[in-house]
Structures are given as C-alpha cells and as structure tokens.
Amino acid sequence: MPRKPPLVIGHRGAPGYRPEHSRSSYELAFAMGVDAVEPDVVATRDGVLVIRHENEISGTTDVAEHPEFADRRTTKRIDGHPLTGWFTEDFTWDELATLRTRERLPQVRASSASFDGAQPILRLVDLLDLVRAGSIEHGREIGVVLEVKHATYFASVGLDLASLIVRDLRAAGWADGESPLIIESFEKTVLGQLRAQGIAASYLYLIEASGRPFDQVTALGRHAATYKATVLPRGLDALVGEVDGISVDKRMLLVPGNTIVEDAHARGLRVFTWTARPENAFLAAEYRGRGGRQEFGDYESEWTVIARSGVDGVFVDHPDLGVSFFRG
C-alpha cells in the first residue's frame, strides 16, 4: 500500500455505522475510502476461523436469544481473566452460521444497532474474498490488517491459530505477498510462528497502555516485560528483527513529551495507533464535549495530536471522518 502516511484502516470495517465485523460494515468501509480493514480472528471447535472481536460472542451476536444454545453459557479464564458468556470454541461453524451480528455498543451507537440481526457471521476466507472484490469494485488496492486473538489461550484448548491462519491465507491466495497483508497480535509468539511458516506480510506487535502480554506471562510469569517497557528504547531494540513495527494504544501517544514514534522510527520500526473515535465515550477527557457519551466531542483536536506524532497508520471506526481528516 504505497500511499502517503498515515494509512487509514477501517477498524472492524465501519463500526461507527454498522455492527462491527458484519459484511455491511466492511463494504461501507471500502466505499468510504479506507486503505485497509482490520478483522479479528478466533476459532470454532472444528477449526474454522471466524471474524469476531473476541471469542466470547454474547455482545456481538444474538446467541443469547437461541434457546438451543442456552446450555453453552459458561465461565472461562481468558488470558488470565474470568469471563462469562458463549465462546466460539464451544460451537461448530455450522452452529455459528445460524447466528446474526449485532452492535456491541448500542448505548453509544444506536443507529448501528438498528441493523442488528441483519447479517450472519463471516469466516476469515469470506472476508478475504470481500476485500479482493472491494478492491476491484472501487478501483484501488485495499489491504488487510489481520489481528490474531488469544493465540496462547486457543493453543491451551487444542486449537493452533497459526496453522489455521496459514491454511486460510494460502487457500484464499493471500499468503505470498500478492495482496497487501499486515498481521498483528498482542502476543509476539504467534507472529513468530506465522513468519516462520513463510507468510509474506508485515508483522506488528500490538501494545496496550498497561499490563503484560499473556504469552510472556505464561512463559515467564512475573519476569515478563510490561507493555510500557516495550516502547522504551531498550524494549524497542529487542524488537528489531522480530517484528516490522508496533501498534500502540492512542493514549500512549497523547502523553505530552512522549517519543515513541521517533524512537521506533530511529530503529526502522513502523508505528500504528488505535483507535481514533469521535464520540465523547472514547476521547481523552480534555477533548470531550457537551452531551452524552454518544455525542461527538472535539475529536479533531485529539486527532491532530495523533497526526503530528508522525504515525504510519491509524485505526478508525468512522472511515469517512478518518479519510477526510488524516488524508484530506
């Protein structure tokens, strides 16, 4: 994607307007001019990769309204934290195909919630085909930024996400560099596994504003490096040769005087950030406006700070606003 930075990436499509990860969310993002879209992948019991924000799906599907699946509700520990709901790994793909998508944040995005129940869940292979068709329809190359979710957890229940991703990328013609592909994860281990299997992509290490990566906690316990330490010069030094860049929580770039982008660029690492959203609910306190959580605040001022940091890519929920602001 040889375009002037920052790349504008439709975060789960266009979830400011349609339920995230739905077909219409992605198609709207294409039409609004994004450079790429970002799907999250999790797995079913029978090894099908599906596009969902998390493996717990009660907030993004109508699973709770299906009495035939009532007994699947359970509590698990995901990345060390207890979570109650319905989980993709407890369903076959044929079962998940009977569900319909819904808005995850209906109190903030009531308009998007009006599209609840309209569309089924997508598989990874479905999304890859959609992107290729969208590129042809709109006359420009659209990329994929593929986020791998909970790889260490899935491995613990017998589902090797790396192998499943390789299978689907090869089957869909996305493994050899012919289409623009970036792979990202909060766990470096799975990125290394995918690179070792010859998937031609750029690899980004996702960075939270706090905490430690679960794969490293599993391996090293309290000796695991924090995310914050990873963006210090010494931490960035250790990433050189392992990944092509980092993707950081925007809050880290809003801290006055931070040098994350400058330090990463000095080491040949790209920097993306997530997620640029206009609603008060998601803005830093100083940029919130009047009205409720769903109202737009002074997002342009917050986004100006992000743009001036020199980032290489920005994830957005409202692609039309993102394209207009960052690429206008």
Side-chain angles (χ1 to χ4, degrees):
M1 293 174 282
R3 297 173 186 144
K4 180 181 178 182
L7 295 176
V8 178
I9 303 153
H11 182 238
R12 309 172 196 160
Y17 303 109
R18 300 289 188 276
E20 63 185 36
H21 291 316
S22 64
R23 181 187 183 104
S24 60
S25 181
Y26 285 108
E27 290 180 336
L28 186 57
F30 304 154
M32 287 179 167
V34 295
D35 298 306
V37 291
E38 186 239 24
D40 302 310
V41 291
V42 292
T44 67
R45 183 173 66 203
D46 51 346
V48 176
L49 291 176
V50 294
I51 307 299
R52 289 289 89 196
H53 170 53
E54 296 287 347
N55 56 327
E56 200 290 296
I57 55 173
S58 62
T60 61
T61 73
D62 61 356
V63 64
E65 298 172 11
H66 285 251
E68 69 272 26
F69 299 139
D71 62 349
R72 308 281 178 95
R73 189 173 187 268
T74 187
T75 298
K76 302 187 179 192
R77 291 189 70 83
I78 307 299
D79 293 359
H81 304 288
L83 190 61
T84 299
W86 287 263
F87 298 84
T88 58
E89 65 271 20
D90 295 331
F91 293 79
T92 65
W93 164 244
D94 286 345
E95 291 172 329
L96 285 186
T98 68
L99 305 182
R100 293 299 178 265
T101 60
R102 67 190 326 162
E103 170 56 45
R104 186 170 57 90
L105 303 166
Q107 302 305 315
V108 177
R109 294 172 173 169
S111 177
S112 176
S114 70
F115 294 91
D116 283 358
Q119 294 183 315
I121 294 173
L122 296 172
R123 298 169 298 177
L124 175 58
V125 290
D126 300 324
L127 183 279
L128 295 173
D129 288 346
L130 272 181
V131 175
R132 180 170 284 120
S135 297
I136 295 170
E137 178 183 356
H138 296 286
R140 69 180 194 281
E141 194 171 51
I142 301 171
V144 168
V145 182
L146 177 64
E147 181 176 347
V148 185
K149 284 291 184 78
H150 309 303
T152 299
Y153 164 77
F154 274 109
S156 75
V157 297
L159 290 163
D160 179 3
L161 291 191
S163 294
L164 297 176
I165 290 168
V166 170
R167 177 200 66 195
D168 283 2
L169 290 177
R170 294 201 187 286
W174 279 78
D176 300 320
E178 293 182 7
S179 300
L181 176 65
I182 297 170
I183 302 177
E184 62 179 6
S185 178
F186 288 104
E187 301 181 66
K188 267 193 310 178
T189 303
V190 70
L191 297 180
Q193 291 168 346
L194 288 165
R195 175 168 269 174
Q197 294 192 56
I199 298 300
S202 294
Y203 291 87
L204 296 184
Y205 189 23
L206 284 162
I207 305 291
E208 295 268 20
S210 61
R212 292 176 166 84
F214 187 64
D215 60 334
Q216 299 303 301
V217 170
T218 300
L220 303 172
R222 63 185 180 87
H223 298 293
T226 65
Y227 283 118
K228 285 186 176 180
T230 302
V231 298
L232 296 175
R234 185 173 178 180
L236 293 171
D237 286 340
L239 296 181
V240 175
E242 290 193 356
V243 295
D244 301 296
I246 57 176
S247 184
V248 302
D249 186 322
K250 70 172 184 180
R251 291 177 291 176
M252 303 175 85
L253 300 183
L254 297 176
V255 175
N258 83 85
T259 60
I260 293 172
V261 176
E262 178 183 348
D263 292 342
H265 283 174
R267 291 159 176 80
L269 299 170
R270 302 167 74 189
V271 183
F272 286 23
T273 193
W274 47 275
T275 302
R277 295 164 165 144
E279 297 105 335
N280 284 325
F282 308 112
L283 294 173
E286 60 267 36
Y287 302 112
R288 295 171 194 157
R290 295 180 179 180
R293 300 175 74 246
Q294 75 280 5
E295 300 297 330
F296 286 10
D298 185 16
Y299 69 91
E300 290 180 320
S301 291
E302 183 186 89
W303 294 7
T304 295
V305 177
I306 293 171
R308 288 177 177 170
S309 73
V311 291
D312 303 289
V314 179
F315 293 90
V316 300
D317 279 7
H318 298 71
D320 55 339
L321 301 182
V323 169
S324 175
F325 183 87
F326 291 104
R327 303 189 64 78

